[in-house]
Amino acid sequence: MGRNKILIRRIANERSRQSTFVKRKHGLIKKAMELSILCGCEIVLTVVLGDKSDTYSSSDARRILARAKEAGVTQTKLCNDDYPKLYGDKSTVDGAGMAMTSKASPLKRSGRKEK
């Protein structure tokens, strides 16, 4: 059985938000490492929250950033406002509220009637 979709918006509960942040940060760093290893690309990733920051770099971060600034390197810059355009209208970005899940039973999703 697959995972439930969540509505992408700020989590109101501070404890839940902190827990989600830690888990997703570790997942993001793991994905960056895997992408670098599998594809041979160079990655610099910095996550900042409050007065703390975590940085992952596949090699020397300064060298990678200097190379990215060079002429001829194509850059694609994205921000949170790009999320609906990239991932569709099903997920929305909202500044308030909690992450919500949709829990429809497999029968309801398939259109069959429950007994």
Side-chain angles (χ1 to χ4, degrees):
M1 180 176 223
R3 296 177 186 225
N4 293 324
K5 299 277 182 183
I6 64 166
L7 188 59
I8 302 298
R9 60 179 170 183
R10 185 176 171 89
I11 300 170
N13 182 292
E14 189 174 338
R15 189 175 204 162
S16 295
R17 186 171 55 243
Q18 180 64 27
S19 174
T20 299
F21 173 76
V22 170
K23 290 175 187 177
R24 287 186 175 241
K25 179 184 71 171
H26 288 296
L28 181 62
I29 292 170
K30 180 180 177 186
K31 289 289 184 188
M33 287 179 178
E34 291 171 351
L35 182 63
S36 175
I37 292 166
L38 292 171
C39 301
C41 61
E42 295 180 303
I43 296 175
V44 175
L45 170 69
T46 301
V47 179
V48 179
L49 180 65
D51 61 349
K52 297 179 182 177
S53 71
D54 293 294
T55 300
Y56 160 73
S57 171
S58 57
S59 60
D60 181 43
R62 288 186 182 143
R63 186 184 56 77
I64 296 170
L65 293 173
R67 184 168 173 254
K69 288 182 181 181
E70 288 178 7
V73 175
T74 304
Q75 292 187 18
T76 303
K77 296 181 180 181
L78 300 172
C79 67
N80 288 350
D81 294 337
D82 297 320
Y83 189 90
K85 291 179 246 170
L86 293 171
Y87 301 106
D89 294 332
K90 292 180 183 177
S91 299
T92 61
V93 176
D94 190 354
M98 291 183 59
M100 299 172 59
T101 59
S102 171
K103 293 185 178 183
S105 74
L107 292 176
K108 286 183 182 177
R109 286 193 302 264
S110 68
R112 298 185 307 205
K113 292 184 180 179
E114 293 186 55
K115 294 181 182 178

